[in-house]
Amino acid sequence: MKLMIVDDHQVVRQGIANLLRNLLPAVAITELDAGLDAIARYGSVQPDVLLLDMGLPDVSGLEVARRIRQRWRGAAILFFTMHDELPMVRQALEVGGMGFVSKNCAPEELAEAVRWVAAGKPYIEHPIATRLALNQERPVDHRLRDMTQREMEVLLMFARGDSVSKMAERLCISNKTV
């Protein structure tokens, strides 16, 4: 199985890679730290699963997934992120994610999610799936529910501490629009 891990934190990325090498024998792993690199290298690597963080330094995981799914319709994308708010989960699934697990999941659950997505089956971490099924949003979720993908990207960049001008440049929009 070929796996591409995209996470901007080197310790996290290498830890995930080592963990999955132990739990998934014969896995070949490509590690990347930025979304644009993932988009550029996806075609040459052709991973069975793209394990994708939501908050990346250049473009959001949502945008990475959207662009990859535009070019490679069959891309198997598994979001693996610290964000588990239902609006974020919904957007991840809407842009083509086949799965969603939080960084709080057990290592065995992450490996299971990778196996499922590689087999073409959707996988959502159990507590998140339960909240989705019961539509149980946390109190702060109402502020995120109606955000567009672009607004969510701006929010993620803002949370990372990016300046307005840096956001505008990356998103090809004016400072005022940001």
mmCIF file of all heavy atoms in Angstrom, residues 31-52:
data_model
loop_
_atom_site.group_PDB
_atom_site.id
_atom_site.type_symbol
_atom_site.label_atom_id
_atom_site.label_comp_id
_atom_site.label_asym_id
_atom_site.label_seq_id
_atom_site.Cartn_x
_atom_site.Cartn_y
_atom_site.Cartn_z
ATOM 1 N N GLU A 31 6.207 11.481 2.766
ATOM 2 C CA GLU A 31 5.883 12.522 3.734
ATOM 3 C C GLU A 31 6.079 13.899 3.105
ATOM 4 O O GLU A 31 7.124 14.155 2.515
ATOM 5 C CB GLU A 31 6.784 12.422 4.958
ATOM 6 C CG GLU A 31 6.659 11.140 5.739
ATOM 7 C CD GLU A 31 7.633 11.107 6.903
ATOM 8 O OE1 GLU A 31 7.822 12.150 7.569
ATOM 9 O OE2 GLU A 31 8.219 10.035 7.137
ATOM 10 N N LEU A 32 5.064 14.759 3.261
ATOM 11 C CA LEU A 32 5.146 16.128 2.756
ATOM 12 C C LEU A 32 4.649 17.086 3.824
ATOM 13 O O LEU A 32 3.805 16.729 4.648
ATOM 14 C CB LEU A 32 4.309 16.283 1.486
ATOM 15 C CG LEU A 32 4.713 15.398 0.302
ATOM 16 C CD1 LEU A 32 3.691 15.480 -0.799
ATOM 17 C CD2 LEU A 32 6.079 15.792 -0.207
ATOM 18 N N ASP A 33 5.144 18.334 3.777
ATOM 19 C CA ASP A 33 4.759 19.303 4.800
ATOM 20 C C ASP A 33 3.907 20.461 4.290
ATOM 21 O O ASP A 33 3.601 21.372 5.038
ATOM 22 C CB ASP A 33 6.001 19.849 5.504
ATOM 23 C CG ASP A 33 6.922 20.628 4.572
ATOM 24 O OD1 ASP A 33 6.623 20.736 3.367
ATOM 25 O OD2 ASP A 33 7.954 21.130 5.063
ATOM 26 N N ALA A 34 3.512 20.426 3.013
ATOM 27 C CA ALA A 34 2.733 21.530 2.460
ATOM 28 C C ALA A 34 1.729 21.031 1.420
ATOM 29 O O ALA A 34 1.971 20.046 0.728
ATOM 30 C CB ALA A 34 3.663 22.564 1.832
ATOM 31 N N GLY A 35 0.624 21.738 1.336
ATOM 32 C CA GLY A 35 -0.454 21.353 0.436
ATOM 33 C C GLY A 35 -0.110 21.452 -1.038
ATOM 34 O O GLY A 35 -0.463 20.576 -1.826
ATOM 35 N N LEU A 36 0.582 22.520 -1.422
ATOM 36 C CA LEU A 36 0.921 22.681 -2.835
ATOM 37 C C LEU A 36 1.883 21.593 -3.289
ATOM 38 O O LEU A 36 1.811 21.124 -4.424
ATOM 39 C CB LEU A 36 1.490 24.082 -3.099
ATOM 40 C CG LEU A 36 0.495 25.232 -2.902
ATOM 41 C CD1 LEU A 36 1.178 26.585 -3.080
ATOM 42 C CD2 LEU A 36 -0.705 25.096 -3.821
ATOM 43 N N ASP A 37 2.771 21.158 -2.393
ATOM 44 C CA ASP A 37 3.666 20.038 -2.709
ATOM 45 C C ASP A 37 2.858 18.762 -2.927
ATOM 46 O O ASP A 37 3.157 17.970 -3.824
ATOM 47 C CB ASP A 37 4.680 19.804 -1.589
ATOM 48 C CG ASP A 37 5.727 20.896 -1.498
ATOM 49 O OD1 ASP A 37 5.888 21.655 -2.475
ATOM 50 O OD2 ASP A 37 6.376 20.995 -0.440
ATOM 51 N N ALA A 38 1.849 18.564 -2.099
ATOM 52 C CA ALA A 38 1.004 17.369 -2.237
ATOM 53 C C ALA A 38 0.287 17.369 -3.585
ATOM 54 O O ALA A 38 0.222 16.338 -4.268
ATOM 55 C CB ALA A 38 -0.014 17.300 -1.101
ATOM 56 N N ILE A 39 -0.243 18.513 -3.976
ATOM 57 C CA ILE A 39 -0.938 18.615 -5.261
ATOM 58 C C ILE A 39 0.040 18.333 -6.404
ATOM 59 O O ILE A 39 -0.266 17.589 -7.334
ATOM 60 C CB ILE A 39 -1.591 20.006 -5.416
ATOM 61 C CG1 ILE A 39 -2.694 20.200 -4.365
ATOM 62 C CG2 ILE A 39 -2.153 20.186 -6.832
ATOM 63 C CD1 ILE A 39 -3.137 21.646 -4.189
ATOM 64 N N ALA A 40 1.237 18.920 -6.314
ATOM 65 C CA ALA A 40 2.240 18.760 -7.372
ATOM 66 C C ALA A 40 2.747 17.324 -7.483
ATOM 67 O O ALA A 40 3.017 16.838 -8.579
ATOM 68 C CB ALA A 40 3.414 19.708 -7.122
ATOM 69 N N ARG A 41 2.856 16.621 -6.363
ATOM 70 C CA ARG A 41 3.455 15.283 -6.379
ATOM 71 C C ARG A 41 2.446 14.148 -6.399
ATOM 72 O O ARG A 41 2.827 12.988 -6.580
ATOM 73 C CB ARG A 41 4.368 15.125 -5.149
ATOM 74 C CG ARG A 41 5.541 16.099 -5.240
ATOM 75 C CD ARG A 41 6.767 15.743 -4.492
ATOM 76 N NE ARG A 41 7.124 14.350 -4.500
ATOM 77 C CZ ARG A 41 7.725 13.747 -3.482
ATOM 78 N NH1 ARG A 41 8.007 14.417 -2.390
ATOM 79 N NH2 ARG A 41 8.049 12.477 -3.553
ATOM 80 N N TYR A 42 1.170 14.459 -6.231
ATOM 81 C CA TYR A 42 0.159 13.403 -6.147
ATOM 82 C C TYR A 42 0.196 12.477 -7.372
ATOM 83 O O TYR A 42 0.180 11.258 -7.245
ATOM 84 C CB TYR A 42 -1.245 13.983 -5.976
ATOM 85 C CG TYR A 42 -2.271 12.905 -5.726
ATOM 86 C CD1 TYR A 42 -2.543 12.485 -4.435
ATOM 87 C CD2 TYR A 42 -2.932 12.285 -6.777
ATOM 88 C CE1 TYR A 42 -3.450 11.465 -4.194
ATOM 89 C CE2 TYR A 42 -3.842 11.268 -6.541
ATOM 90 C CZ TYR A 42 -4.102 10.868 -5.251
ATOM 91 O OH TYR A 42 -4.988 9.854 -5.028
ATOM 92 N N GLY A 43 0.245 13.040 -8.553
ATOM 93 C CA GLY A 43 0.215 12.254 -9.788
ATOM 94 C C GLY A 43 1.399 11.319 -9.940
ATOM 95 O O GLY A 43 1.249 10.201 -10.430
ATOM 96 N N SER A 44 2.581 11.755 -9.513
ATOM 97 C CA SER A 44 3.754 10.889 -9.647
ATOM 98 C C SER A 44 3.804 9.820 -8.560
ATOM 99 O O SER A 44 4.263 8.706 -8.800
ATOM 100 C CB SER A 44 5.043 11.718 -9.630
ATOM 101 O OG SER A 44 5.182 12.394 -8.399
ATOM 102 N N VAL A 45 3.294 10.121 -7.367
ATOM 103 C CA VAL A 45 3.292 9.147 -6.274
ATOM 104 C C VAL A 45 2.117 8.178 -6.411
ATOM 105 O O VAL A 45 2.254 6.984 -6.184
ATOM 106 C CB VAL A 45 3.250 9.856 -4.898
ATOM 107 C CG1 VAL A 45 3.097 8.858 -3.760
ATOM 108 C CG2 VAL A 45 4.493 10.712 -4.696
ATOM 109 N N GLN A 46 0.961 8.691 -6.794
ATOM 110 C CA GLN A 46 -0.285 7.910 -6.909
ATOM 111 C C GLN A 46 -0.515 7.028 -5.679
ATOM 112 O O GLN A 46 -0.549 5.802 -5.769
ATOM 113 C CB GLN A 46 -0.296 7.085 -8.187
ATOM 114 C CG GLN A 46 -0.332 7.939 -9.417
ATOM 115 C CD GLN A 46 -0.584 7.153 -10.682
ATOM 116 O OE1 GLN A 46 -0.750 5.934 -10.676
ATOM 117 N NE2 GLN A 46 -0.639 7.850 -11.789
ATOM 118 N N PRO A 47 -0.693 7.674 -4.520
ATOM 119 C CA PRO A 47 -0.884 6.903 -3.291
ATOM 120 C C PRO A 47 -2.251 6.213 -3.264
ATOM 121 O O PRO A 47 -3.200 6.674 -3.892
ATOM 122 C CB PRO A 47 -0.797 7.966 -2.191
ATOM 123 C CG PRO A 47 -1.287 9.211 -2.863
ATOM 124 C CD PRO A 47 -0.786 9.110 -4.287
ATOM 125 N N ASP A 48 -2.315 5.123 -2.523
ATOM 126 C CA ASP A 48 -3.598 4.465 -2.299
ATOM 127 C C ASP A 48 -4.454 5.296 -1.349
ATOM 128 O O ASP A 48 -5.674 5.285 -1.441
ATOM 129 C CB ASP A 48 -3.383 3.063 -1.717
ATOM 130 C CG ASP A 48 -2.623 2.179 -2.684
ATOM 131 O OD1 ASP A 48 -3.115 1.998 -3.809
ATOM 132 O OD2 ASP A 48 -1.545 1.688 -2.314
ATOM 133 N N VAL A 49 -3.787 6.005 -0.437
ATOM 134 C CA VAL A 49 -4.481 6.885 0.513
ATOM 135 C C VAL A 49 -3.647 8.146 0.710
ATOM 136 O O VAL A 49 -2.429 8.083 0.859
ATOM 137 C CB VAL A 49 -4.693 6.197 1.886
ATOM 138 C CG1 VAL A 49 -5.344 7.156 2.887
ATOM 139 C CG2 VAL A 49 -5.527 4.940 1.748
ATOM 140 N N LEU A 50 -4.333 9.279 0.710
ATOM 141 C CA LEU A 50 -3.730 10.560 1.057
ATOM 142 C C LEU A 50 -4.215 10.899 2.460
ATOM 143 O O LEU A 50 -5.402 11.126 2.667
ATOM 144 C CB LEU A 50 -4.156 11.641 0.065
ATOM 145 C CG LEU A 50 -3.805 13.094 0.408
ATOM 146 C CD1 LEU A 50 -2.301 13.276 0.550
ATOM 147 C CD2 LEU A 50 -4.369 14.032 -0.641
ATOM 148 N N LEU A 51 -3.314 10.880 3.434
ATOM 149 C CA LEU A 51 -3.626 11.222 4.821
ATOM 150 C C LEU A 51 -3.328 12.702 4.975
ATOM 151 O O LEU A 51 -2.172 13.120 4.906
ATOM 152 C CB LEU A 51 -2.783 10.373 5.774
ATOM 153 C CG LEU A 51 -3.128 10.454 7.257
ATOM 154 C CD1 LEU A 51 -4.538 9.926 7.507
ATOM 155 C CD2 LEU A 51 -2.131 9.656 8.065
ATOM 156 N N LEU A 52 -4.361 13.503 5.163
ATOM 157 C CA LEU A 52 -4.272 14.944 4.984
ATOM 158 C C LEU A 52 -4.706 15.722 6.215
ATOM 159 O O LEU A 52 -5.811 15.522 6.722
ATOM 160 C CB LEU A 52 -5.163 15.316 3.785
ATOM 161 C CG LEU A 52 -5.223 16.738 3.300
ATOM 162 C CD1 LEU A 52 -3.848 17.241 2.871
ATOM 163 C CD2 LEU A 52 -6.204 16.843 2.134
#
